[in-house]
Amino acid sequence: MSAGTVLITGGAGFIGSRLSHSLINHFDEVVIVDNFSPQVHNGRRHSQDLHPAAVVIEGDVTEVETWNRVLDRTHPRVVVHLAAETGTAQSYDEATLHSMTNVVGTTRMLDALGASGALPEEIVLASSRAVYGEGSLRNADGIVVPAEPRTTADLTQGIWAAAGSEPVAMDARFTQTRPVSIYGATKVAQELLLRAWCTPRDVALGIVRLQNVYGAGQSPTNSYTGILPLFCGVARSGESIPVYEDGEILRDFVHVSDVVESIRLAIVHGRSGLWDIGSGVPATIGQVATMIADRYSAPAPTVTGQYRPGDVRAAFADNSAATADLGWSPRVSLDEGLTELISWLEDIRA
């Protein structure tokens, strides 16, 4: 990997902090821009998890002044765009916030890069499995079809899934982008904006569509960015973990170290591409809650029958394109990752 500067937007967060350590020896400089959102950083104006040699610029990606300060200081060779509002359910009530950060924040960045006179060689976007919405199903005839959005009427009656069908792994080569949340729609918009901007300028665009990322360093209190630390908190208190719907919601939990490695390899790849990043091994929320309850000797999880707007029934990745193009494959199993997460949670509570 050649030298130069890598700029990481939202780089003081969960993924960005880990990424700063991964990239510090591959670039002359790692520059972080972050607004230190209270929801993510709990009021802290710094990140203890960042590499100490990383340069931190505090600012909001939606503001022109932020980009003036960033680009007056450096012209990045590579930009990793992590800055985003990520709350799926939250996005229904805060559509403007999500659109400002995810869409306008992206266009502000592109305008500033274009005006700087020194375009990056590559942009890597952290996108989301939320772009797929409900994904695809294999119906009773064995045919793969797009899954229809679940209606409030069905969910209210406890009709959680289409009868006689089974979910299919999400694969960018075949699965349509049909988001069912405001958040998911803004991530599709990010992808389209970047593709439209990068292509005529010969800027490589790597897009990683991430499944549910977890691990040490994740906010233990933010319900919009990770459910596993919250489950751990409930189980640690000796209570039963509440599980929504019928407990059979299917998710793909991918460890943050595997996600960081996928981004690093996308940078090494240096060419445009679109990759799904997950463990490839889905688990039901009920199964995961039981694993956590057992670790704490807590009561068995309780299936509540509740539901959240924007939650899809099943989401898991087909990683084969990332393996073929990047030589990437997940290394951390859910069992190993939970052990690390619980140990870290105990350390910070101590």
Side-chain angles (χ1 to χ4, degrees), residues 119-123 194 197-206 272:
L119 299 181
E121 295 177 11
E122 182 179 7
I123 297 175
L194 284 164
W197 188 90
C198 288
T199 300
R201 292 169 171 80
D202 292 323
V203 174
L205 174 61
S272 296

Side-chain angles (χ1 to χ4, degrees), residues 132 168-176 209 276 316-318 320-321:
Y132 295 119
V168 175
M170 294 169 166
D171 184 335
R173 296 166 296 182
F174 310 111
T175 312
Q176 296 180 20
R209 289 178 174 167
D276 295 285
F316 58 103
D318 181 331
S320 55

Side-chain angles (χ1 to χ4, degrees), residues 92 133-135 137 147-156 158-162 178 180 244-246 248-251 306-314:
Y92 286 98
E134 294 284 353
L137 296 173
E148 293 301 321
R150 301 187 298 168
T151 67
T152 300
D154 284 344
L155 295 174
T156 301
I159 302 173
W160 309 121
R178 302 177 74 195
V180 296
Y244 279 16
E245 299 186 16
D246 58 353
E248 297 299 312
I249 296 171
L250 205 60
R251 290 291 181 270
Q306 295 171 280
Y307 63 89
R308 290 195 316 173
D311 273 352
V312 299
R313 180 62 174 178

Side-chain angles (χ1 to χ4, degrees), residues 8 11 16-17 20-21 24 29-32 50-57:
I8 310 174
S17 294
S20 69
H21 290 264
I24 199 72
E29 187 176 54
V30 174
V31 176
I32 304 295
L50 276 169
H51 193 283
V55 176
V56 180
I57 299 173

